[in-house]
């Protein structure tokens, strides 16, 4: 491999890729690459290993899986290479057959998913190319510039055509020149702003009564809850101005078509579900559905409806469910105790809340842990056995796109580096040792995975053949791309919008204020940056981690740019350098998501400061509820 570029098969990614992935070669051939199976020789966490052969490694792991068959086994995975051939298939077949504990994948998209499902059911959202038709795009807690770069060309076109972009975010994430309105919200208080906007729209007569009567339930209850939020009250809670809230609401109401893009920054706190529900209610209240470029946009995963049972090929056992966001606690408190932890497609030592507790758990002498990853991650350092995995350039992967509606096939462009092997192969080889059968390989595996996508794909005939010929399959929406309330409709049982969703409790829009913590007044956020969107790629993205503060917070603490500081709370500390960021609101600290332990002088990530409590309704992680103080180191 000499170069990585975008191709033209998909008009959305049209010839360009993000700067992070362009450097993927550094990961594939880099010094962190795991080249062969290894067994621990040092103490846990020390990172000293000896090379062993695949057969020996698999025998070792299979013996432990056999010994602890049942709930003492915890398979731990998240995104990985994000495809249907590396997750949810052969891995599930193996672990389900062993009666292992099940994992609730809660680090991301739980609150948003629950709110979207409760209010609209699984309604496909606006596809990227249709952003272009919008005259106003309200980006709420998302940062496409770093996390969805292929959306950017469409947003640019909105502004070139005289439309406007608004951003609700504690920082000016997209660059001041790019947004027309910016509400620098205090993290965790979006609910107040969204409800105040709804009440404002009602007072201004900007509510689409006809739409609500025909398509929605619960509008009156929503309005009643919203009326408690005057612009002034919302402004004082969220730290923005009343005028600013009104201006965004007015511009949104006046624009046609108008689009809400809800990101994943809104959900990661105690008010996550309610805030997302209130934000997603806006297009219903203001009558923004029914035309191209109007409505709301999420990740698009609503449309794929992958049949998980079929992909796994084995029924889900009714074993205990472990919330991944509480792994540290689980490793100490769960009964029966977790005795085998099998990590793949994830890097829990860096990415989970309460990092110190997670690391302590990984040090448990009576825990046998396997880490299966292309690179020597922070988690791998704690493993008893490390298994080398291929990257997406070395294995076949079937991917559904993120934010748009393509299914694509990635076939290997280089041979596996070192002795690395694809996920499916390793789970099959383990299965063979444990009497688990039915694993599929080659084209049969791809065909089977393709058949689990329930949504209708364009064209007739063999899906795999067409995929190989055309490079991608697109969803078959009438009129090409989905138009909400014209060609796609709520997936709720009664096909109506539920503006008072009972899934969110008896008071769906109840605002939970934060508990003041005078010793740790700064709200810590950890968004993606131009250097990383998760821990993958973080390894070469950073020389060292940093914390950002607003100039007023820097001055108030007598600190200066570039200085070594200590970011701390009751859970831990992170020793990094200070950056002054005038684009960040005061009262907020920012440590980038995706740094590795080696990027801070004390081997900590931002996650060392994140509490492990989860949202009571969906069980989602609350990363942005971390409260910290910053002082000189
Ligand atoms: N190429 C590539 N793309 C990816 C990924 C990848 O691995 N590779 N990962 C994907 C994943 S897993 C995710 S989750 C998405 C994330 O996609 P986004 O949701 O766009 O995530 P961020 O870029 O972190 O932007 C979140 C924004 O929310 C802001 N924020 C923080 N707290 C609050 C709050 O309380 N209220 C409001 N209004 N804003 C807040 C932050 O400052 C930040 O600018 O990116 C995805 N995109
Ligand atoms: N501080 C803070 N932390 C956060 C968040 C936050 O807002 N703040 N947000 C969270 C979010 S949105 C997310 S999505 C999570 C992500 O959390 P994780 O999923 O733990 O992080 P990733 O870096 O995506 O880990 C994926 C791992 O899979 C490996 N991998 C890739 N392809 C393959 C494969 O084919 N096979 C195998 N075996 N391994 C593979 C990669 O090398 C990488 O180590 O992080 C969460 N962490
Ligand atoms: Mo995520």
């Amino acid at each position: 491999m000499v170069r990585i570029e975008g191709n033209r098969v998909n008009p959305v990614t049209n010839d360009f890729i993000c700067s992070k992935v362009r450097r993927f070669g550094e990961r594939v051939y880099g010094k962190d690459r795991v080249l062969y199976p290894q067994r621990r020789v040092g103490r846990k966490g020390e990172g000293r290993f000896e090379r062993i052969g695949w057969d020996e490694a698999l025998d070792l792991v299979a013996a432990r899986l056999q010994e602890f068959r049942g709930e003492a086994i915890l398979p731990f995975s998240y995104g990985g290479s994000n495809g249907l051939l590396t997750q949810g298939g052969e891995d599930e077949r193996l672990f389900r057959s062993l009666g292992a504990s099940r994992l609730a994948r809660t680090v991301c998209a739980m609150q948003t998913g629950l709110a979207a499902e409760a209010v609209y059911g699984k309604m496909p959202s606006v596809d990227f190319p249709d952003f272009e038709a919008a005259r106003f795009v309200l980006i709420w807690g998302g940062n496409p510039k770093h996390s969805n770069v292929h959306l950017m060309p469409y947003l640019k076109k909105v502004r070139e055509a005289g439309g406007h972009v608004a951003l609700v975010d504690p920082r000016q994430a997209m660059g001041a020149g790019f947004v027309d309105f910016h509400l620098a919200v205090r993290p965790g208080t979006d609910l107040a702003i969204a409800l105040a906007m709804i009440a404002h729209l009602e007072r201004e007569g900007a509510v689409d009564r006809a739409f609500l009567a025909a398509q929605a339930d619960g509008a009156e209850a929503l309005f009643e809850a919203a009326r408690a939020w005057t612009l002034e009250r919302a402004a004082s809670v969220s730290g923005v101005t009343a005028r600013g809230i009104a201006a965004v609401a007015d511009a949104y109401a006046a624009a046609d078509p108008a689009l809400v893009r809800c990101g994943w920054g809104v959900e990661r706190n105690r008010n996550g579900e309610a805030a997302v529900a209130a934000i997603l209610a806006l297009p219903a209240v203001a009558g923004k559905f029914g035309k191209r470029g109007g409505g709301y946009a999420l990740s698009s995963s609503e449309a794929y409806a992958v049949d998980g049972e079929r992909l796994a090929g084995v029924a889900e056992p009714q074993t205990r469910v472990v919330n991944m966001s509480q792994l540290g606690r689980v490793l100490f408190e769960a009964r029966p105790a977790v005795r085998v932890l099998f990590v793949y497609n994830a890097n829990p030592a860096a990415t989970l809340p309460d990092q110190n507790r997670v690391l302590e758990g990984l040090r448990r002498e009576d825990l046998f842990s396997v880490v299966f990853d292309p690179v020597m991650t922070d988690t791998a350092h704690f493993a008893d056995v490390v298994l080398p995995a291929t990257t997406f350039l070395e294995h076949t992967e079937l991917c559904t796109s993120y934010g748009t509606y393509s299914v694509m096939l990635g076939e290997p462009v280089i041979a596996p580096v070192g002795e690395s092997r694809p996920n499916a192969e390793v789970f099959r080889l383990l299965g063979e040792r444990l009497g688990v059968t039915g694993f599929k390989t080659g084209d049969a595996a791809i065909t089977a995975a393709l058949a689990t996508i329930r949504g209708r794909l364009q064209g007739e005939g063999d899906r795999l053949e067409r995929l190989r010929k055309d490079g991608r399959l697109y969803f078959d929406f009438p009129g090409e791309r989905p138009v909400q309330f014209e060609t796609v409709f709520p997936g709720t049982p009664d096909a109506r919008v539920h503006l008072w969703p009972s899934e969110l409790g008896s008071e769906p829009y109840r605002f939970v204020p934060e508990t003041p913590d005078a010793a740790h007044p700064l709200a810590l956020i950890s968004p993606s940056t131009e250097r990383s969107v998760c821990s993958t790629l973080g390894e070469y993205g950073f020389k060292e981690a940093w914390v950002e503060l607003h100039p007023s917070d820097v001055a108030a603490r007598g600190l200066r740019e570039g200085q070594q500081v200590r970011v701390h709370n009751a859970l831990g500390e992170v020793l990094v350098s200070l950056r002054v960021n005038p684009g960040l609101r005061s009262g907020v600290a920012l440590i980038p998501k995706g740094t590795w332990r080696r990027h801070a002088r004390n081997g900590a990530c931002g996650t060392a400061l994140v509490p492990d409590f989860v949202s009571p309704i969906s069980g989602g992680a609350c990363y942005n509820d971390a409260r910290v103080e910053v002082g000189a180191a």
Side-chain angles (χ1 to χ4, degrees), residues 104-269:
R105 294 196 174 82
T106 55
V107 289
C108 181
M110 288 305 284
Q111 294 93 321
T112 304
L114 183 106
E117 172 93 50
V119 180
Y120 293 101
K122 286 197 181 299
M123 177 160 70
S125 60
V126 176
D127 195 356
F128 284 7
D130 287 333
F131 272 65
E132 209 178 310
R135 292 287 68 95
F136 187 89
V137 181
L138 175 49
I139 300 174
W140 204 313
N143 179 15
K145 192 171 155 196
H146 296 139
S147 301
N148 248 173
V149 70
H150 295 99
L151 188 53
M152 292 304 284
Y154 300 105
L155 289 173
K156 286 200 179 106
K157 285 187 187 155
V158 172
R159 296 192 79 223
E160 279 160 18
H164 296 101
V165 173
L167 180 67
V168 186
D169 195 305
R171 64 187 180 134
Q172 183 46 280
M174 310 214 7
F178 197 79
V179 300
D180 304 282
F181 302 83
H182 178 210
L183 299 181
V185 57
R186 166 112 179 138
T189 64
D190 300 274
L191 176 60
I193 296 182
L195 291 176
M197 281 186 182
I198 290 169
H200 179 75
L201 293 174
E202 191 193 21
R203 281 192 306 272
E204 296 294 306
V207 168
D208 187 341
R209 298 278 171 198
F211 175 86
L212 292 177
Q215 309 280 5
D217 293 325
E220 251 333 294
L222 168 63
F223 286 128
E224 205 185 308
R227 281 178 213 128
W229 289 93
T230 60
L231 293 172
E232 290 70 25
R233 182 178 170 217
S236 78
V237 164
S238 63
V240 305
T241 63
R243 225 163 19 127
I245 301 175
V248 172
D250 290 341
Y252 173 70
D256 180 33
L259 181 54
V260 176
R261 161 75 181 175
C262 189
W264 284 261
V266 180
E267 72 169 10
R268 309 195 192 289
N269 65 77

Side-chain angles (χ1 to χ4, degrees), residues 189-378:
T189 64
D190 300 274
L191 176 60
I193 296 182
L195 291 176
M197 281 186 182
I198 290 169
H200 179 75
L201 293 174
E202 191 193 21
R203 281 192 306 272
E204 296 294 306
V207 168
D208 187 341
R209 298 278 171 198
F211 175 86
L212 292 177
Q215 309 280 5
D217 293 325
E220 251 333 294
L222 168 63
F223 286 128
E224 205 185 308
R227 281 178 213 128
W229 289 93
T230 60
L231 293 172
E232 290 70 25
R233 182 178 170 217
S236 78
V237 164
S238 63
V240 305
T241 63
R243 225 163 19 127
I245 301 175
V248 172
D250 290 341
Y252 173 70
D256 180 33
L259 181 54
V260 176
R261 161 75 181 175
C262 189
W264 284 261
V266 180
E267 72 169 10
R268 309 195 192 289
N269 65 77
R270 66 207 172 278
N271 288 306
E273 286 99 354
V276 173
I279 291 164
L280 293 182
L282 283 167
V285 167
K288 299 301 184 186
F289 288 120
K291 57 175 67 167
R292 206 170 281 283
Y296 68 84
L298 288 170
S299 73
S300 75
S301 57
E302 324 85 43
Y304 294 106
V306 171
D307 183 340
E309 286 297 292
R310 200 161 158 196
L311 189 62
V314 176
E316 193 172 359
Q318 292 311 299
T319 52
R320 73 170 164 198
V321 176
V322 165
N323 187 325
M324 72 185 301
S325 300
Q326 298 180 318
L327 179 67
R329 176 192 302 247
V330 165
L331 286 176
F332 288 106
E333 295 175 5
R335 294 294 174 268
V338 175
R339 299 299 303 276
V340 180
L341 179 72
F342 194 117
V343 179
Y344 60 105
N345 296 349
N347 184 13
T351 58
L352 295 188
D354 202 354
Q355 181 183 36
N356 289 323
R357 191 101 163 268
V358 172
L359 297 183
E360 240 178 89
L362 292 175
R363 280 194 193 97
R364 251 182 51 197
E365 279 303 330
D366 63 341
L367 176 73
F368 181 77
S369 48
V370 182
V371 175
F372 178 28
D373 203 288
V375 296
M376 194 49 100
T377 60
D378 283 335

Side-chain angles (χ1 to χ4, degrees), residues 384-471:
D384 292 281
V385 173
V386 181
L387 302 174
T390 44
T391 68
F392 77 98
L393 296 169
E394 299 148 65
H395 59 230
T396 304
E397 184 63 289
L398 184 68
C399 283
T400 56
S401 53
Y402 189 87
T404 170
Y405 295 97
S406 294
V407 176
M408 300 190 62
L409 184 67
E411 298 198 270
V413 293
I414 54 170
V417 170
E419 294 183 2
S420 60
R421 291 181 172 177
N423 286 11
E425 183 181 334
V426 169
F427 292 117
R428 176 173 56 80
L429 292 171
L430 285 170
E432 281 170 4
R433 285 166 167 76
L434 291 157
V436 181
T437 55
F439 293 94
K440 293 185 191 65
T441 56
D443 282 4
I446 311 174
T447 302
L450 268 170
T452 66
I453 299 173
R454 287 206 192 96
R456 249 185 75 80
L457 303 175
Q458 280 177 353
E460 297 301 327
D462 186 70
R463 283 179 169 183
L464 178 54
E465 225 170 80
R466 280 186 292 138
L467 204 45
R468 285 225 165 94
K469 188 165 131 291
D470 302 333

Side-chain angles (χ1 to χ4, degrees), residues 73-89:
I73 301 172
L74 179 62
F76 191 99
S77 64
Y78 199 66
S81 55
N82 270 307
L84 298 182
L85 298 180
T86 49
Q87 184 154 313

